[in-house]
Coordinates of all heavy atoms in Angstrom, one line a residue:
L1 N -11.4 3.4 37.5 CA -12.7 2.9 38.0 C -13.0 3.4 39.4 O -14.2 3.5 39.8 CB -12.8 1.4 37.9 CG -12.8 0.7 36.6 CD1 -12.8 -0.8 36.7 CD2 -14.0 1.2 35.8
N2 N -12.0 3.5 40.2 CA -12.2 3.8 41.7 C -11.8 5.2 42.1 O -11.7 5.4 43.3 CB -11.4 2.7 42.4 CG -11.7 1.3 42.0 OD1 -10.8 0.7 41.3 ND2 -12.8 0.8 42.4
G3 N -11.7 6.1 41.2 CA -11.3 7.5 41.6 C -10.1 7.9 40.9 O -9.1 7.1 40.7
L4 N -10.0 9.1 40.6 CA -8.9 9.7 39.7 C -7.6 9.5 40.5 O -7.4 9.9 41.7 CB -9.1 11.2 39.5 CG -7.9 11.9 38.9 CD1 -7.8 11.4 37.4 CD2 -8.3 13.4 38.8
G5 N -6.6 8.8 39.9 CA -5.3 8.6 40.5 C -5.3 7.6 41.6 O -4.1 7.3 42.1
L6 N -6.3 6.9 41.9 CA -6.4 6.0 43.0 C -6.1 4.5 42.4 O -6.3 4.2 41.3 CB -7.7 6.0 43.7 CG -8.1 7.3 44.4 CD1 -9.4 7.2 45.1 CD2 -7.0 7.8 45.4
P7 N -5.6 3.6 43.3 CA -5.3 2.3 42.8 C -6.5 1.6 42.3 O -7.6 1.8 42.8 CB -4.7 1.6 44.1 CG -4.2 2.7 44.9 CD -5.2 3.9 44.7
F8 N -6.3 0.7 41.3 CA -7.4 -0.1 40.7 C -7.8 -1.2 41.8 O -6.9 -1.8 42.4 CB -6.8 -0.8 39.5 CG -7.8 -1.8 38.9 CD1 -8.8 -1.3 38.1 CD2 -7.7 -3.1 39.1 CE1 -9.8 -2.3 37.5 CE2 -8.5 -4.1 38.6 CZ -9.6 -3.6 37.8
Q9 N -9.1 -1.3 42.0 CA -9.6 -2.3 42.9 C -10.4 -3.3 42.1 O -11.5 -2.9 41.5 CB -10.5 -1.7 44.0 CG -9.7 -0.7 44.9 CD -10.6 -0.1 45.9 OE1 -11.7 -0.6 46.2 NE2 -10.1 1.0 46.6
D10 N -10.0 -4.5 42.0 CA -10.7 -5.5 41.2 C -11.8 -6.2 42.0 O -11.9 -6.0 43.2 CB -9.6 -6.6 40.8 CG -10.1 -7.4 39.6 OD1 -11.2 -7.0 39.0 OD2 -9.5 -8.4 39.2
G11 N -12.6 -7.0 41.2 CA -13.6 -7.8 41.9 C -14.9 -7.1 41.9 O -15.1 -5.9 41.4
P12 N -16.0 -7.6 42.5 CA -17.3 -7.1 42.5 C -17.3 -5.7 43.2 O -16.6 -5.4 44.1 CB -18.1 -8.1 43.3 CG -17.4 -9.3 43.3 CD -15.9 -9.0 43.1
W13 N -18.1 -4.8 42.7 CA -18.3 -3.4 43.2 C -19.6 -3.3 44.0 O -20.5 -4.1 43.6 CB -18.1 -2.4 42.1 CG -19.1 -2.5 41.1 CD1 -20.3 -1.8 41.0 CD2 -19.1 -3.4 40.0 NE1 -21.0 -2.3 39.9 CE2 -20.3 -3.2 39.3 CE3 -18.1 -4.3 39.5 CZ2 -20.5 -3.9 38.1 CZ3 -18.4 -5.0 38.3 CH2 -19.6 -4.8 37.6
D14 N -19.7 -2.4 44.8 CA -20.9 -2.2 45.5 C -21.9 -1.5 44.7 O -21.7 -0.3 44.3 CB -20.7 -1.4 46.8 CG -21.9 -1.2 47.7 OD1 -23.0 -1.7 47.3 OD2 -21.8 -0.5 48.7
P15 N -23.0 -2.1 44.3 CA -24.0 -1.4 43.5 C -24.7 -0.2 44.1 O -25.3 0.6 43.4 CB -25.1 -2.5 43.2 CG -24.9 -3.5 44.3 CD -23.5 -3.5 44.7
K16 N -24.5 -0.1 45.4 CA -25.1 1.1 46.2 C -24.0 2.2 46.3 O -24.3 3.3 46.9 CB -25.5 0.6 47.5 CG -26.7 -0.3 47.5 CD -27.2 -0.7 48.9 CE -28.3 -1.7 48.9 NZ -28.8 -2.0 50.3
D17 N -22.8 2.0 45.8 CA -21.8 3.0 45.9 C -22.0 4.0 44.8 O -21.8 3.8 43.6 CB -20.4 2.4 45.7 CG -19.3 3.4 45.7 OD1 -19.5 4.6 45.9 OD2 -18.1 3.0 45.6
Q18 N -22.6 5.2 45.1 CA -23.0 6.2 44.2 C -21.8 6.8 43.4 O -22.0 7.5 42.5 CB -23.8 7.3 44.8 CG -25.1 6.7 45.4 CD -26.0 7.9 46.0 OE1 -25.7 9.0 45.8 NE2 -27.0 7.5 46.7
F19 N -20.6 6.5 43.8 CA -19.4 7.2 43.3 C -18.5 6.2 42.5 O -17.4 6.6 42.1 CB -18.7 7.9 44.3 CG -19.5 9.0 45.0 CD1 -20.2 8.8 46.2 CD2 -19.4 10.3 44.5 CE1 -20.9 9.8 46.8 CE2 -20.2 11.4 45.0 CZ -20.9 11.1 46.1
H20 N -19.0 5.0 42.3 CA -18.2 4.0 41.5 C -18.5 4.4 40.1 O -19.4 4.7 39.6 CB -18.6 2.6 41.8 CG -17.6 1.6 41.3 ND1 -17.6 1.2 40.0 CD2 -16.5 0.9 41.9 CE1 -16.6 0.3 39.8 NE2 -16.0 0.2 41.0
W21 N -17.4 4.1 39.2 CA -17.5 4.4 37.8 C -18.6 3.7 37.2 O -19.3 4.3 36.3 CB -16.2 4.0 37.2 CG -15.9 4.5 35.8 CD1 -15.3 5.6 35.4 CD2 -16.3 3.8 34.5 NE1 -15.2 5.8 34.0 CE2 -15.8 4.7 33.5 CE3 -16.9 2.7 34.2 CZ2 -16.1 4.3 32.2 CZ3 -17.2 2.3 32.9 CH2 -16.8 3.1 31.9
F22 N -18.9 2.5 37.5 CA -20.0 1.7 36.9 C -21.4 2.4 37.3 O -22.4 1.9 36.7 CB -20.0 0.3 37.3 CG -18.8 -0.5 36.6 CD1 -18.0 -1.3 37.2 CD2 -18.6 -0.3 35.2 CE1 -17.0 -2.0 36.6 CE2 -17.6 -0.9 34.5 CZ -16.8 -1.8 35.2
N23 N -21.5 3.2 38.3 CA -22.7 3.7 38.8 C -23.0 5.1 38.5 O -23.9 5.7 39.0 CB -22.8 3.4 40.3 CG -22.7 2.0 40.7 OD1 -23.1 1.1 40.0 ND2 -22.3 1.7 41.9
R24 N -22.2 5.7 37.7 CA -22.3 7.1 37.3 C -23.0 7.3 36.0 O -22.7 6.6 35.0 CB -21.0 7.9 37.4 CG -20.3 7.9 38.8 CD -21.2 8.4 39.9 NE -21.3 9.9 39.7 CZ -22.0 10.6 40.5 NH1 -22.7 10.2 41.5 NH2 -22.0 12.0 40.4
V25 N -23.8 8.3 35.8 CA -24.4 8.6 34.6 C -23.5 9.1 33.5 O -23.5 8.6 32.4 CB -25.6 9.7 34.8 CG1 -25.9 10.3 33.4 CG2 -26.8 9.0 35.4
W26 N -22.6 10.0 33.8 CA -21.7 10.6 32.8 C -20.7 9.6 32.2 O -20.3 9.7 31.0 CB -21.0 11.7 33.4 CG -21.7 13.0 33.5 CD1 -22.1 13.7 34.5 CD2 -22.2 13.8 32.2 NE1 -22.8 14.9 34.1 CE2 -22.9 14.9 32.8 CE3 -22.2 13.5 30.9 CZ2 -23.6 15.8 32.0 CZ3 -22.8 14.5 30.1 CH2 -23.5 15.6 30.6
T27 N -20.3 8.6 33.0 CA -19.4 7.6 32.5 C -20.0 6.7 31.4 O -19.3 6.0 30.6 CB -18.8 6.7 33.6 OG1 -19.9 6.1 34.3 CG2 -18.0 7.6 34.5
L28 N -21.3 6.8 31.3 CA -22.0 5.9 30.3 C -21.6 6.4 28.8 O -21.3 5.6 27.9 CB -23.5 6.0 30.4 CG -24.3 5.1 29.5 CD1 -24.0 3.7 29.9 CD2 -25.8 5.3 29.7
Q29 N -21.5 7.8 28.6 CA -21.0 8.2 27.4 C -19.5 8.3 27.2 O -19.0 8.5 26.1 CB -21.6 9.6 27.1 CG -20.9 10.8 27.9 CD -21.2 12.1 27.3 OE1 -21.9 12.3 26.3 NE2 -20.6 13.2 27.9
E30 N -18.8 8.0 28.3 CA -17.4 7.9 28.3 C -16.9 6.5 28.1 O -15.6 6.3 27.9 CB -16.8 8.5 29.5 CG -17.1 10.0 29.7 CD -16.8 10.4 31.2 OE1 -16.1 9.7 31.9 OE2 -17.2 11.6 31.5
A31 N -17.8 5.5 28.2 CA -17.4 4.1 28.0 C -16.7 3.8 26.7 O -17.2 4.1 25.6 CB -18.6 3.2 28.1
P32 N -15.4 3.4 26.7 CA -14.6 3.3 25.5 C -14.7 1.9 24.8 O -15.1 0.9 25.4 CB -13.2 3.5 26.0 CG -13.2 2.9 27.3 CD -14.6 3.1 27.9
R33 N -14.4 1.8 23.6 CA -14.2 0.6 22.9 C -12.9 0.0 23.3 O -12.7 -1.2 23.4 CB -14.2 0.7 21.4 CG -15.5 1.2 20.7 CD -16.8 0.8 21.3 NE -17.9 0.8 20.4 CZ -19.0 1.6 20.5 NH1 -19.1 2.3 21.6 NH2 -20.0 1.6 19.7
R34 N -11.9 0.9 23.6 CA -10.6 0.4 24.1 C -10.2 1.2 25.3 O -10.4 2.4 25.3 CB -9.4 0.6 23.0 CG -9.4 -0.3 21.8 CD -8.5 0.2 20.8 NE -7.1 0.2 21.3 CZ -6.1 1.0 20.7 NH1 -6.4 1.7 19.7 NH2 -4.9 0.9 21.3
A35 N -9.8 0.5 26.3 CA -9.5 1.1 27.6 C -8.1 0.9 28.0 O -7.5 -0.2 27.8 CB -10.5 0.6 28.7
I36 N -7.5 1.9 28.6 CA -6.3 1.8 29.3 C -6.6 2.0 30.8 O -7.0 3.1 31.2 CB -5.2 2.8 28.9 CG1 -5.0 2.7 27.4 CG2 -4.0 2.7 29.6 CD1 -4.1 3.7 26.8
F37 N -6.4 1.0 31.6 CA -6.8 1.1 33.1 C -5.7 1.8 33.8 O -4.5 1.5 33.8 CB -6.9 -0.3 33.7 CG -8.2 -1.0 33.3 CD1 -8.3 -1.9 32.2 CD2 -9.4 -0.7 34.0 CE1 -9.4 -2.5 31.8 CE2 -10.6 -1.4 33.6 CZ -10.6 -2.2 32.5
G38 N -6.1 2.8 34.5 CA -5.3 3.6 35.4 C -5.3 3.0 36.8 O -6.3 2.3 37.1
G39 N -4.2 3.1 37.6 CA -4.1 2.6 38.9 C -3.8 1.1 38.9 O -3.8 0.5 40.0

């Protein structure tokens, strides 16, 4: 969620952060039914 290979950061994310996983267009089609969290 927070960058390739970087530690997982829990909690609310900045909606203005253009580089967060939840705020990127391409990750919309990558959203899985089952997820393995990295970091």
Side-chain angles (χ1 to χ4, degrees):
L1 291 181
N2 307 103
L4 176 64
L6 299 182
F8 174 82
Q9 297 179 17
D10 198 11
W13 60 96
D14 183 359
K16 296 182 180 179
D17 180 2
Q18 298 183 9
F19 295 91
H20 193 279
W21 193 89
F22 287 136
N23 297 333
R24 300 298 290 177
V25 160
W26 278 115
T27 57
L28 190 61
Q29 75 164 359
E30 299 170 7
R33 293 328 199 238
R34 285 173 59 202
I36 300 175
F37 283 95

